[in-house]
Amino acid sequence: MKFYLAGRLSIAAAMAFALASCTTTQAGFRKNPERVSKSALCRTFITNTDLAFTQELTAELARRRIDPIECVNMVQRENQAAAVIVAVALVGTAVAVCANNNCGGGSSYPAYTPYRGNCQYDWQRDAAGNRCGNRSAYSRPGGY
């Protein structure tokens, strides 16, 4: 079980790390801009703060006929998809842990069985319409 939990958490962490590293460096970009994937190009364009590098990225986006708004939308969709995958992995892990640790909310008390009769409590009435009073199961020692 611990191996299963650790495996799922490591997959979630690897995905988060992979998305964070889906950018390119200036040196890698300048070496061969054509080899940079569209996703990495867009992520770098969105997160970059260097004005000169942003101009180079914009020129490459224009050369590939990619709209900067398309980049923003694509990165948002990728981030949302990654968040869904991580959430599903975490929920699956929680379900697996609960299934193995019996945390399903069951009860340790015996199942409820309804009282068979007319006088469970003293305020009720018997079959003849009289108050149960001290004849009720609740009023007797040991209950019913």
Side-chain angles (χ1 to χ4, degrees), residues 19-105:
L19 278 178
S21 65
C22 282
T23 59
T24 185
T25 62
Q26 288 184 16
F29 176 78
R30 289 181 180 137
K31 185 175 180 180
N32 193 355
E34 290 83 23
R35 291 198 67 197
V36 177
S37 70
K38 179 180 176 181
S39 177
L41 183 66
C42 285
R43 282 188 181 276
T44 305
F45 175 74
I46 291 170
T47 60
N48 182 44
T49 56
D50 183 11
L51 186 58
F53 189 42
T54 301
Q55 289 175 342
E56 293 176 43
L57 293 169
T58 305
E60 182 63 22
L61 287 172
R63 186 188 71 74
R64 295 185 188 189
R65 293 186 175 96
I66 301 172
D67 185 23
I69 299 299
E70 181 185 346
C71 277
V72 172
N73 293 336
M74 182 183 69
V75 169
Q76 277 182 333
R77 282 191 309 271
E78 288 175 354
N79 289 346
Q80 289 170 349
V84 166
I85 290 170
V86 168
V88 167
L90 291 175
V91 167
T93 302
V95 167
V97 167
C98 255
N100 288 335
N101 292 328
N102 194 22
C103 59

